[in-house]
Amino acid sequence: MTKEFLYTEIANGIASQITSGVLNAGDKLPSVRILCKEHQISMNTAKRVFLELESMSLIESKPQSGYFVSQLLSITLPLPEVSRPSLIANTNEPDELISKVYENMGKNNLTLFSIAIPSGDLLPQAKLKKEIINATRELKSGGAEYEELQGNLKLRRMIALRSLSWGGNFNENDVVTTNGGMNALSFCLMALGKPGDTIAIESPCYPGILQLAAGFGLKVLELPTHPAHGIEIEALKKAIPKIDICLLIPNFNTPLGSCMSDENKKEVVKLLAENNIPLIEDDVYGDLYFGANRPKCCKSFDKEGNVLYCSSVSKTLAPGYRVGWIVPGKYKEKILKLKLLHSTSSISIVNEAVANFLKSGRYEKHLQQMRRTLQSNYQNYVQTIAESFPEGTKTSRPQGGLSLWIEFDKKVRTTELYDLAIKQNISIAPGRMFTLQDQFENCMRLCFGLPWSEDTQLKLRQIGNLAKRLS
Amino acid sequence: MTKEFLYTEIANGIASQITSGVLNAGDKLPSVRILCKEHQISMNTAKRVFLELESMSLIESKPQSGYFVSQLLSITLPLPEVSRPSLIANTNEPDELISKVYENMGKNNLTLFSIAIPSGDLLPQAKLKKEIINATRELKSGGAEYEELQGNLKLRRMIALRSLSWGGNFNENDVVTTNGGMNALSFCLMALGKPGDTIAIESPCYPGILQLAAGFGLKVLELPTHPAHGIEIEALKKAIPKIDICLLIPNFNTPLGSCMSDENKKEVVKLLAENNIPLIEDDVYGDLYFGANRPKCCKSFDKEGNVLYCSSVSKTLAPGYRVGWIVPGKYKEKILKLKLLHSTSSISIVNEAVANFLKSGRYEKHLQQMRRTLQSNYQNYVQTIAESFPEGTKTSRPQGGLSLWIEFDKKVRTTELYDLAIKQNISIAPGRMFTLQDQFENCMRLCFGLPWSEDTQLKLRQIGNLAKRLS
C-alpha cells in the first residue's frame, strides 16, 4: 500500500463529515488559516485540501467569503421503495429484453448509460500498456506457456495484501485467479449448485447473475432489498429453510448501488454459516467507495471458510484483461478442479501486468482519481435528473460503484422509454432486466462511469424529456 | 495462406510416398541430377529437397552412394489392440490418479512425458512477444476495454481463411472465440447436455473430457477405437439409440494419435445428423500432420450445421495465451449466450496478437518447422522404445499430433510404473487416466513435444528399464 498524502487524508476526513451529514449543504468550512493551525500544516497543503474537495464536487468557493459545502448535495430525490418481490422462486426470464439491449450496445455513436463499466477514458491506458510490455519481457517464454494452476503468485500476494484494508484475513494460498469476475461467479455456482437447488439473491439483481443461475437450472429466490442498505435480514431469515446458496453484491451493488452495514454483513455470514448455506460474495465494486474508508466485506467476518469471495479489476482497471479471482474458503479444491477443467490456466501476460501495476502502487493512485471522478459524475447526474426528469422521480443514493437506480411514476414504462431513447442513440437498462418477476417496469439503471460532458448532460436531459412524454 | 516454396512442395510429395509405403526403408532415392530433370529445378533446389527430407528423419545419405529411405522407418512395433470398452455408460472416475499426476507436474526438474503440449522451446517466443507489443499499441484503449462478444474479427477471418485448406466452408461470422480449447468444449457441453444425457467418446479419451462430462452429470459411453483409424463406425451405429451427444478428436487424437479416414468422417457426420445427435469435434492437433496434406475434419462434411468444431493455438503456438474458438453451426446463438454469461469477452491483447501472427504468414512457417521437429522426435522415440522397452511392447503410429500410446505386456501395470518413474523425476501418463472403466492398466501415453536430446533419450531408456523390472 502507498502511504496516502497528508492533504488527501485531511480532505477525506472532511469529505466523510459531508457525506455522513455532520456538515450540510451551505455550511461554511473553516478558513485556510484555521485549517493550517488545526492540522499544523502549511498554507499550500491547506489549499490542496480545498482543491481536492472541490474536485469531488463536495464544496464550492464563494469570492471573498471562503468555502462552503456544495448546494449540489442538498439535491436529494426521494429513495425508491424497498423491493417486494414474490417469495416464490420464479423463472420468468427477461431474455428477449436483455438480448435487445445487448445487441444494440454494439452500435456506433451510442451513449451507453446501460452498461456498468468504466468508460475507456477513466482507465490508465498508457501505464497499462507499459506493464504489458514489461510482462512479456519478464515472463518465462514471454507468457506463451501455462502458468501455475492457482494463478500468478505475485498477483495473489497483492490481492491478499490489499484485503488487509477491509479485514480480509487471508493469504496468497487462499486465492485462485479466474478469467474475470463472471468466470469467478460461474465457477462458484458450478461448484455449489445442482439443478433444482434454490439460490437467494438481491432484488433487483444484475441480469448476468439471473441468467447464470437459470442456466445451471437453479431456482431463483429474490429477496426484498433496501435501495441504500441491501437485503432485508428478516426476509433472509424467513427464507433460510428454502435456500441452498446465497449470492450477494454487498458493496455498491448493481443496479441499486446499495451497501450493507457491517452489522448486517456480520449477521448474514453468521446466519448462513449456522445453516451450512454457502455465501458467494461479489465485491467487484468495493474499491469504488466515495467515503473516507473502504467498506468491509462479508468475507471480513467469515470464520468458517463459508464465504466464496469473488472480485476482479474489470470495474476499476481493465475490463478487457479479464483478470478476476476467488477466495473460495473451504471450497478451494472444488474450484481448482473446475478451473483446471474449464480454463486450464489463466492468461499469464495480463495477470502479470496487473500484478505489477498493483505492486507499483499505481493502482492506489489510479483508484483515488477514479473515485473522485465517479463521485463528481454521480452528483452531476443527480442534479441533472432533479432538473429535467418528471416529477415523482426517485433515485437511489449510491456511496460508491457505477450504478444509479431510478424509479419513475408507475405510468412510465421503461421498456417503452428504452425504445424511444435508442432512436436518439441513447441506451438505458430497463428495470425489468433485473428480475425474473413482473416488477420494476417503471425503473431503470443508469451507469455513471461515462465521462461527464455537455453531451452526457444533454443526453440525460433527453431521457428526462422522453420520460415526461410517457408520464 | 503463404505460397509454399517449390522445394517444400517436392519434399512433401516424396515424404508422402515414404509415409504411405510407396517407398520403403532402405529404398534408394533418385539422384540430385535426376531430381533436377524430373522437376525442372536447379541443383540448389534439388539439394534443399533432400536436406528437408533429412531434417524430417525420413531419409539418410550414404557417402558416395546417395540418399536412401531411412532405416528408422523400418522400426515398427506391433499396434496396440482395438479398445473393447464395456458399452454400458460407466462413471468409475480415475480422480485420484489424475490428481496425483497433475500435482506432481508442478515439481521442478521433472521430465514431462505426461502432458500433451509442446515444450516452450518449440514455440516462436520472440516473434510472439513482438506481436503482443504491437497489439497493445494498435488496439483501442490498448486492449483494456471489452472486445466484441463474438471475438476479434481479424482472428475470426484468419480462422475461416485457414480452414479452406481442409474444406471448412465457413466465414468469420460462423466463428466464436473462446479462452482456449477446453473452454470451447466446456461451452459446447453446457449448450447441448443436460444431466443424465449420454455422451459417446473415443476410448481411450483425454481425461479432461472425461472429467468435464462427469462434471456436467453426463453419462459417458466409451466407443471401441482403433489405434490408427479412430472409432469403429459399427460400434457407433449400434450405440446411436442410446446417445445424445458425440464428442470426437478425429485428427491425431490424444492419447492414441489416431486419425479417422475421410470416408469415416463423412459417415459419422451423416449418421449423427440423421439422428439429430450433435457432434462436438475437437481439432486442436489437426495442424500438426506429418504427411503432405492437412487432414480434413468432420466439419468438412457438415451440411446441416450439426458439427460444433472446436480448436485453439494451445498445441501449436502459445498454450499460455488461451486463444481458442468454436464454429458452432446451428448452435451459434446458444454458444454466444454462454460466452456472454461465463466470460463476457475474450482477452483482446492475446487474440489480436495471434490474429496478426496468423495474418503475417509466420504461423505457416512456424508450423512447417514444428511438424518437422515433431515427426523427427516421434521417430527417435520409436527407435529408442524398440531398443530399450521390454519385449512385447506395442505402440500406436501417429501421423501427427503430440501423443504416442504404448501398450505393454499385461504384467506391466503403468500406475506402478508411474510411481517408480516419478522417483527418477520422470512423469508419464498411466493408461487408466484415459477411461472411466477398468482398462488400459498396462498402457500409457507419452508426449513427444519435448525437444529431443541425449537427456530425453536417457529418460526414455530409464522408463524402458523400469518397465522391464515390472514385466
Side-chain angles (χ1 to χ4, degrees):
Chain A
M1 282 330 85
T2 52
K3 195 179 171 325
E4 284 190 50
F5 291 109
L6 186 58
Y7 76 88
T8 323
E9 220 176 282
I10 300 171
N12 281 343
I14 299 174
S16 163
Q17 291 185 309
I18 296 173
T19 51
S20 66
V22 175
L23 290 167
N24 292 308
D27 282 359
K28 194 174 186 317
L29 290 166
S31 68
V32 172
R33 188 178 308 265
I34 290 175
L35 203 67
C36 290
K37 264 197 185 170
E38 265 182 15
H39 296 274
Q40 311 218 327
I41 53 178
S42 69
M43 287 286 277
N44 269 338
T45 305
K47 279 178 190 160
R48 289 194 76 169
V49 168
F50 289 119
L51 283 176
E52 183 84 358
L53 290 165
E54 220 174 357
S55 78
M56 293 155 91
S57 307
L58 288 174
I59 65 172
E60 51 203 14
S61 72
K62 290 185 191 168
Q64 266 96 47
S65 314
Y67 287 99
F68 295 82
V69 176
S70 169
Q71 288 296 346
L72 268 185
L73 294 167
S74 64
I75 304 164
T76 48
L77 295 174
L79 271 179
E81 302 296 315
V82 173
S83 67
R84 293 282 165 231
S86 149
L87 290 185
I88 295 162
N90 224 307
T91 53
N92 192 358
E93 267 189 88
D95 261 12
E96 250 175 73
L97 179 60
I98 293 175
S99 299
K100 186 164 81 172
V101 175
Y102 273 94
E103 262 162 39
N104 278 325
M105 278 180 195
K107 279 191 192 164
N108 277 335
N109 302 321
L110 210 58
T111 305
L112 278 177
F113 291 112
S114 48
I115 181 167
I117 50 165
S119 115
D121 305 296
L122 300 188
L123 307 176
Q125 297 177 12
K127 281 172 189 140
L128 285 174
K129 278 186 203 178
K130 279 187 194 157
E131 294 294 3
I132 291 283
I133 292 169
N134 288 339
T136 55
R137 285 193 183 131
E138 285 166 22
L139 276 174
K140 194 190 152 218
S141 318
E145 290 188 90
Y146 291 142
E147 56 168 47
E148 71 175 299
L149 177 60
Q150 200 169 335
N152 185 301
L153 180 62
K154 214 185 307 174
L155 178 61
R156 289 187 283 122
R157 271 192 193 139
M158 285 312 302
I159 292 164
L161 192 59
R162 296 196 76 254
S163 79
L164 292 174
S165 74
W166 51 263
N169 187 21
F170 54 80
N171 67 38
E172 65 259 30
N173 288 322
D174 299 316
V175 183
V176 180
T177 67
T178 61
N179 294 325
M182 277 311 283
N183 183 226
L185 297 181
S186 156
F187 283 161
C188 290
L189 288 184
M190 239 188 265
L192 303 171
K194 48 183 195 307
D197 280 358
T198 297
I199 183 168
I201 55 160
E202 287 133 347
S203 182
C205 175
Y206 172 55
I209 292 172
L210 297 176
Q211 292 193 309
L212 201 57
F216 286 121
L218 301 176
K219 288 185 207 152
V220 174
L221 186 80
E222 302 183 34
L223 295 169
T225 306
H226 188 281
H229 312 306
I231 57 156
E232 302 233 299
I233 304 289
E234 289 309 311
L236 178 65
K237 276 187 191 162
K238 276 187 207 154
I240 286 284
K242 283 194 254 177
I243 65 180
D244 304 288
I245 311 172
C246 185
L247 191 163
L248 300 175
I249 311 182
N251 293 329
F252 319 125
N253 124 340
T254 192
L256 288 173
S258 63
C259 185
M260 287 170 70
S261 67
D262 284 356
E263 302 87 81
N264 279 3
K265 283 173 184 157
K266 201 170 169 178
E267 196 170 347
V268 164
V269 170
K270 190 165 163 277
L271 187 64
L272 293 173
E274 280 168 5
N275 290 279
N276 211 16
I277 298 167
L279 171 60
I280 303 168
E281 173 173 40
D282 182 355
D283 189 41
V284 285
Y285 302 103
D287 281 340
L288 299 177
Y289 53 98
F290 299 160
N293 296 306
R294 201 224 191 264
K296 293 202 160 153
C297 299
C298 288
K299 189 74 184 169
S300 317
F301 305 101
D302 179 32
K303 288 171 194 154
E304 335 265 338
N306 190 48
V307 177
L308 299 95
Y309 173 87
C310 301
S311 193
S312 78
V313 297
S314 303
K315 305 301 182 184
T316 55
L317 193 63
Y321 285 12
R322 314 308 302 126
V323 171
W325 55 88
I326 312 176
V327 185
K330 62 185 175 190
Y331 306 98
K332 184 179 158 194
E333 287 313 309
K334 276 192 176 186
I335 295 293
L336 275 177
K337 188 176 167 186
L338 287 169
K339 181 175 175 186
L340 178 62
L341 280 180
H342 297 266
S343 318
T344 317
S345 159
S346 298
I347 289 109
S348 324
I349 292 171
V350 284
N351 281 271
E352 175 80 6
V354 170
N356 288 336
F357 191 80
L358 263 60
K359 206 173 170 192
S360 71
R362 286 191 203 105
Y363 188 54
E364 295 308 324
K365 278 187 199 140
H366 158 68
L367 282 177
Q368 275 175 30
Q369 177 59 47
M370 190 171 178
R371 287 195 290 257
R372 249 193 320 260
T373 307
L374 290 175
Q375 177 165 23
S376 165
N377 285 358
Y378 160 63
Q379 276 156 9
N380 286 317
Y381 271 53
V382 171
Q383 186 181 15
T384 306
I385 289 168
E387 288 164 7
S388 61
F389 275 40
E391 219 172 306
T393 300
K394 299 172 181 177
T395 73
S396 62
R397 288 172 209 157
Q399 291 306 300
L402 293 163
S403 300
L404 184 63
W405 184 246
I406 311 287
E407 184 180 312
F408 291 110
D409 182 272
K410 287 281 177 199
K411 275 177 288 182
V412 181
R413 300 183 69 82
T414 49
T415 45
E416 286 169 45
L417 184 59
Y418 175 87
D419 291 336
L420 293 174
I422 202 76
K423 282 183 198 148
Q424 304 193 8
N425 289 324
I426 301 169
S427 173
I428 59 161
R432 185 59 182 83
M433 286 173 71
F434 302 89
T435 176
L436 299 180
Q437 308 187 6
D438 291 327
Q439 51 174 347
F440 310 134
E441 309 270 6
N442 58 327
C443 300
M444 68 175 177
R445 180 185 74 176
L446 294 178
C447 164
F448 50 82
L450 300 176
W452 185 251
S453 67
E454 280 188 22
D455 184 62
T456 313
Q457 186 169 32
L458 183 72
K459 293 281 162 54
L460 260 187
R461 286 201 181 122
Q462 277 176 268
I463 299 175
N465 289 334
L466 293 173
K468 279 179 183 162
R469 269 209 254 159
L470 294 174
S471 67
Chain B
M1 282 330 88
T2 52
K3 194 178 171 328
E4 285 188 50
F5 291 109
L6 186 57
Y7 76 89
T8 324
E9 222 176 280
I10 301 171
N12 281 342
I14 299 174
S16 165
Q17 290 185 307
I18 295 173
T19 52
S20 67
V22 175
L23 289 169
N24 292 307
D27 282 359
K28 193 172 187 320
L29 290 166
S31 68
V32 171
R33 188 178 307 264
I34 290 175
L35 203 69
C36 289
K37 266 196 183 169
E38 265 181 15
H39 295 276
Q40 310 218 327
I41 54 179
S42 70
M43 287 286 276
N44 269 339
T45 305
K47 279 178 190 162
R48 290 193 74 170
V49 169
F50 288 118
L51 283 176
E52 184 85 357
L53 290 165
E54 221 175 356
S55 79
M56 292 156 93
S57 307
L58 288 174
I59 65 169
E60 50 203 14
S61 72
K62 290 184 190 169
Q64 267 96 49
S65 312
Y67 286 99
F68 294 82
V69 176
S70 171
Q71 287 296 346
L72 267 184
L73 293 167
S74 64
I75 305 165
T76 47
L77 296 173
L79 272 178
E81 302 297 313
V82 173
S83 66
R84 292 284 166 231
S86 149
L87 289 186
I88 294 160
N90 223 307
T91 54
N92 192 0
E93 266 190 87
D95 261 12
E96 254 175 68
L97 179 61
I98 293 175
S99 299
K100 188 164 80 173
V101 175
Y102 273 95
E103 264 164 36
N104 277 325
M105 278 181 196
K107 280 191 190 163
N108 278 334
N109 302 319
L110 211 57
T111 306
L112 279 177
F113 290 113
S114 50
I115 180 168
I117 51 164
S119 117
D121 306 298
L122 299 189
L123 308 175
Q125 297 178 12
K127 280 170 191 142
L128 284 175
K129 278 185 202 178
K130 280 188 196 154
E131 294 295 2
I132 291 284
I133 293 169
N134 288 340
T136 56
R137 286 196 183 128
E138 284 166 22
L139 276 173
K140 193 188 155 220
S141 317
E145 290 188 271
Y146 290 140
E147 56 168 47
E148 72 175 296
L149 177 60
Q150 200 168 335
N152 185 300
L153 180 62
K154 215 187 306 174
L155 178 61
R156 290 188 281 121
R157 269 190 196 143
M158 285 312 302
I159 292 164
L161 192 57
R162 295 196 76 254
S163 81
L164 292 175
S165 73
W166 52 263
N169 188 19
F170 55 80
N171 67 38
E172 65 258 30
N173 287 323
D174 300 313
V175 184
V176 180
T177 67
T178 61
N179 293 324
M182 277 309 285
N183 183 226
L185 297 182
S186 157
F187 284 161
C188 289
L189 288 184
M190 241 188 265
L192 303 171
K194 49 182 195 305
D197 280 357
T198 297
I199 183 168
I201 55 161
E202 287 133 349
S203 183
C205 174
Y206 172 56
I209 292 172
L210 296 177
Q211 293 194 307
L212 202 58
F216 285 122
L218 301 176
K219 288 188 208 149
V220 173
L221 186 80
E222 302 183 32
L223 295 169
T225 306
H226 188 280
H229 312 307
I231 58 155
E232 302 231 302
I233 304 289
E234 288 309 311
L236 178 65
K237 276 188 189 161
K238 276 187 206 152
I240 286 284
K242 284 195 254 179
I243 65 182
D244 304 290
I245 311 171
C246 185
L247 191 163
L248 300 176
I249 312 181
N251 293 329
F252 319 124
N253 124 338
T254 194
L256 288 174
S258 63
C259 185
M260 287 170 70
S261 66
D262 284 358
E263 302 87 81
N264 279 4
K265 283 171 183 158
K266 200 170 169 180
E267 195 170 348
V268 165
V269 170
K270 188 165 164 274
L271 187 63
L272 293 173
E274 279 168 5
N275 289 280
N276 211 17
I277 299 167
L279 172 61
I280 304 168
E281 174 173 42
D282 182 354
D283 190 40
V284 285
Y285 302 103
D287 281 340
L288 298 178
Y289 54 98
F290 299 159
N293 295 306
R294 200 219 191 269
K296 293 201 161 160
C297 299
C298 288
K299 189 75 184 170
S300 316
F301 304 101
D302 179 32
K303 289 171 193 154
E304 334 266 337
N306 191 48
V307 177
L308 300 97
Y309 173 88
C310 300
S311 195
S312 78
V313 297
S314 302
K315 306 300 182 183
T316 54
L317 193 63
Y321 285 12
R322 315 305 304 127
V323 171
W325 53 88
I326 312 177
V327 185
K330 63 185 174 189
Y331 306 98
K332 183 178 158 194
E333 287 313 309
K334 277 193 174 185
I335 296 291
L336 275 177
K337 187 175 170 189
L338 286 169
K339 180 175 175 185
L340 179 62
L341 280 181
H342 297 266
S343 318
T344 317
S345 159
S346 298
I347 289 109
S348 325
I349 292 172
V350 284
N351 281 271
E352 175 80 5
V354 169
N356 288 336
F357 191 79
L358 263 61
K359 206 171 170 194
S360 71
R362 286 190 203 103
Y363 188 54
E364 295 307 326
K365 279 190 196 134
H366 158 67
L367 282 177
Q368 274 176 28
Q369 176 61 46
M370 192 172 177
R371 287 195 290 256
R372 248 195 316 262
T373 307
L374 290 175
Q375 177 164 22
S376 164
N377 284 359
Y378 160 62
Q379 276 156 7
N380 286 316
Y381 271 52
V382 171
Q383 187 181 14
T384 306
I385 289 168
E387 286 163 7
S388 61
F389 274 41
E391 218 174 305
T393 300
K394 299 171 180 177
T395 73
S396 62
R397 288 172 210 157
Q399 292 305 301
L402 293 163
S403 301
L404 184 62
W405 184 246
I406 312 285
E407 185 181 312
F408 291 109
D409 181 273
K410 285 280 177 202
K411 276 176 289 183
V412 181
R413 297 182 71 83
T414 49
T415 45
E416 286 171 43
L417 183 60
Y418 176 87
D419 291 336
L420 294 174
I422 201 79
K423 282 182 197 148
Q424 304 193 7
N425 289 324
I426 301 168
S427 173
I428 58 161
R432 185 60 182 83
M433 287 173 71
F434 301 91
T435 176
L436 298 179
Q437 308 188 4
D438 292 326
Q439 50 174 348
F440 309 135
E441 308 271 4
N442 58 328
C443 301
M444 68 174 178
R445 181 185 73 177
L446 294 178
C447 164
F448 50 84
L450 302 175
W452 186 250
S453 67
E454 281 188 21
D455 184 62
T456 312
Q457 187 170 29
L458 183 71
K459 292 282 162 52
L460 259 188
R461 286 202 181 123
Q462 277 177 267
I463 299 175
N465 290 334
L466 293 172
K468 278 180 185 165
R469 270 209 253 161
L470 294 174
S471 69

